[in-house]
Amino acid sequence: MQLDPVLVESAVVFGMVICVHYAVWNQLSWCCIALAVQAFYVQHKWDRLIRTGAAVFQFRPSANSGVLPASMVLPLLGLALRGHCIAVGNIYMERFAMVITVIGMMLALFLSLIALGITRPVPTNTCVIAGIAGSAILYTVKQTLTVSEVIEVLEVLLIFVYLSLILLYLLPRCFTPGEALLILGGISFIINQLIKRSLASSGNANADPLTYFLPVALLGLVLLGIFFAVLFVFMESETWSASLFFHTMTAVLGLGLLVPWLTLLTQHHPITWLMHFITETNTRLWLIGFWAALLLLAVVVVMHQNSHRSAGSKKHQASTSVRKYFHLLTVLTFAPGLALDRPLLQLASVVCLSAFLFLEFVRYFRIRPLGPPLRHLLTLFLDERDSGPLILTHIYLLLGVALPVWLTPASCTPKEGLGGAGGLVPYAGVLAVGVGDTVASVFGSAVGEVRWPGTKKTFEGTATSVFAQIIAVVVFLIADSSINLNASYSWVVGSITMVAMLEAYTSQIDNLLLPLYLYILLLL
């Protein structure tokens, strides 16, 4: 009897849930466990809907629904953050972390209700379990959150509903249900926080502009993408006039809306502040020059690989080793930034994400002059996960290594930094994706012989991945004096091993899922 990889993936996620609740236990912990149980049952209903083609939207094929691993990310993240906020006595951030936990649970419940509502015949047992979990969550929320916090949860849920209806219709086969929950839920939360802060005050001269660049840029790109996706349904996008209109509207949105919005929020002109920020130290100039050299090297690799395709078969695709080469470049980009200047790295990653998304719009809409060449160049690096109209693999890679940097709670971090395994929290993406996933894939395909039951992944690849991440931790300890693991070595090794097992069995986007789970475990 062949082992079902979904069951092993679920067992690993349940193990992580238990680890979190072992370290952090409060009134919401029972709700998280109930949510995990009902998400496990609902996941199998979604899997059946996807296999039979009965799902409401077209989800990414050749992958399970991923409801359980995606449903637990935000609740566990909120619980882990709350523990650190309590330790430093930050009451506001403690409440904020609790809101994050409840938002994650409510989004997961909403997704579960959709699945149960369209499943035929109606799964009675699953509905009962979901009802019990939902009742427990709603009762606990009533006893825990204030009225304003409940309203905030409902606002995020409303934005999530509208984004799901729009983006899942416009972008078929790009996401699994779990990936849609994770990505659209995160976007909804960021947009709601931006709107809330914009309405709360007309500006704060002491506000750090860095905290606003990501939400403002993300909202602008979402608006740009939705606007042109609807517009180009009615007009041809490949003409020079349409391309001119696209670039003009992008400039109007950026200079006419986003720049004034940032100025209003921070009381600093973003361009002036940006120039001062970049030239503040010589280290920043050296880092920018180093990153520019890596960018040039990446372009050379893309052009070189496409020259081989032009000379050979049209069906030629880049090998796993070549694709993982970009993971190595990501490590070389992020590791020096984490050790030398994290604020600059945070800003640079936001700029890079904005550039990636903008270029993907240009490629998708065939905007001249770069659209057609980009479509030709990037198809070489497609894999089975890029089955929809968008190419998202490189964006997921950037998100995977950048999210731990963005999520590190500055207001809940002591001046001497997070102690123990928490010192490695900003490195979670580099470890899980840049080192672990790369080594597992390269060594597994090259020398792997013993496969994990039910998967194509190999034991040799996973074991080498764990070993490589441990070596990387040692290197980070030497290079970054702020890291002091104390007596938490066993917890670090255990966390890395659990995430490596998740990588071996998950069919979700590992570039996005693995760093978040490693981040949560290290934060404990």
Side-chain angles (χ1 to χ4, degrees), residues 289-506:
F290 177 66
W291 291 338
L294 291 179
L295 175 62
L296 180 61
L297 185 59
V299 173
V300 170
V301 171
V302 172
M303 300 303 294
H304 177 70
Q305 290 295 317
N306 274 273
S307 67
H308 280 287
R309 180 175 65 173
S310 300
S313 172
K314 293 182 179 179
K315 296 182 179 180
H316 173 70
Q317 290 291 312
S319 64
T320 300
S321 299
V322 172
R323 285 201 297 267
K324 296 305 178 183
Y325 180 78
F326 293 99
H327 287 230
L328 176 61
L329 288 178
T330 303
V331 173
L332 294 177
T333 300
F334 272 76
L338 286 168
L340 298 175
D341 197 323
R342 293 182 188 179
L344 177 64
L345 179 64
Q346 180 180 347
L347 175 63
S349 56
V350 172
V351 172
C352 190
L353 175 65
S354 303
F356 277 7
L357 289 173
F358 177 76
L359 290 176
E360 181 58 23
F361 290 158
V362 170
R363 186 205 64 84
Y364 174 64
F365 294 127
R366 298 181 175 87
I367 302 299
R368 295 177 179 272
L370 293 178
L374 282 175
R375 293 183 72 88
H376 175 74
L377 293 173
L378 294 182
T379 52
L380 176 66
F381 301 93
L382 293 177
D383 61 18
E384 67 277 1
R385 293 175 297 184
D386 290 313
S387 54
L390 295 184
I391 300 177
L392 298 172
T393 306
H394 60 297
I395 298 175
Y396 287 139
L397 173 61
L398 174 62
L399 281 176
V401 292
L403 279 173
V405 181
W406 298 339
L407 293 174
T408 300
S411 56
C412 293
T413 302
K415 293 182 179 179
E416 64 275 10
L418 295 173
L424 289 172
V425 159
Y427 293 88
V430 175
L431 286 171
V433 175
V435 177
D437 184 41
T438 303
V439 172
S441 180
V442 173
F443 276 80
S445 59
V447 301
E449 294 183 359
V450 181
R451 299 190 182 278
W452 290 107
T455 76
K456 297 179 180 179
K457 306 294 179 66
T458 64
F459 173 80
E460 293 88 346
T462 302
T464 310
S465 164
V466 173
F467 184 65
Q469 290 180 73
I470 294 173
I471 294 176
V473 168
V474 175
V475 174
F476 296 151
L477 280 170
I478 297 173
D480 192 341
S481 60
S482 65
I483 303 175
N484 183 11
L485 295 183
N486 298 324
S488 58
Y489 295 97
S490 58
W491 183 268
V492 172
V493 174
S495 301
I496 289 173
T497 303
M498 292 186 71
V499 172
M501 287 299 301
L502 182 62
E503 187 275 336
Y505 276 95
T506 187

Side-chain angles (χ1 to χ4, degrees), residues 31-226:
C31 296
C32 285
I33 294 176
L35 177 68
V37 173
Q38 74 91 29
F40 172 75
Y41 279 86
V42 171
Q43 175 168 279
H44 292 280
K45 304 305 173 184
W46 267 112
D47 290 345
R48 189 175 70 182
L49 290 172
I50 292 174
R51 286 194 300 268
T52 59
V56 177
F57 297 103
Q58 298 182 54
F59 293 105
R60 183 165 64 86
S62 67
N64 64 60
S65 59
V67 173
L68 173 60
S71 296
M72 300 314 300
V73 169
L74 276 181
L76 296 182
L77 176 62
L79 289 177
L81 287 174
R82 184 173 181 268
H84 277 280
C85 295
I86 292 176
V88 300
N90 191 327
I91 303 300
Y92 172 79
M93 287 302 297
E94 177 192 346
R95 301 298 305 178
F96 182 70
M98 191 172 293
V99 170
I100 292 176
T101 300
V102 175
I103 286 174
M105 291 191 292
M106 296 304 294
L107 294 180
L109 278 178
F110 175 77
L111 191 71
S112 299
L113 290 176
I114 292 178
L116 297 176
I118 62 176
T119 301
R120 295 293 181 270
V122 176
T124 305
N125 295 336
T126 308
C127 288
V128 171
I129 294 173
I132 294 173
S135 300
I137 291 171
L138 292 176
Y139 176 78
T140 306
V141 168
K142 177 185 176 182
Q143 303 296 321
T144 304
L145 299 187
T146 64
V147 174
S148 61
E149 290 169 343
V150 171
I151 292 175
E152 185 174 355
V153 172
L154 295 177
E155 290 170 349
V156 176
L157 184 59
L158 183 63
I159 297 173
F160 175 78
V161 171
Y162 281 108
L163 277 183
S164 299
L165 293 174
I166 295 172
L167 295 183
L168 292 180
Y169 173 76
L170 294 175
L171 305 172
R173 304 180 307 281
C174 283
F175 313 104
T176 65
E179 292 162 4
L181 170 64
L182 199 57
I183 296 167
L184 301 183
I187 294 175
S188 302
F189 180 78
I190 291 175
I191 291 176
N192 181 70
Q193 286 299 308
L194 178 61
I195 295 174
K196 178 183 174 182
R197 294 184 185 185
S198 300
L199 296 177
S201 63
S202 59
N204 182 4
N206 297 321
D208 184 4
L210 272 178
T211 61
Y212 291 99
F213 269 85
L214 176 61
V216 170
L218 186 62
L219 177 59
L221 288 164
V222 169
L223 293 175
L224 183 70
I226 293 176

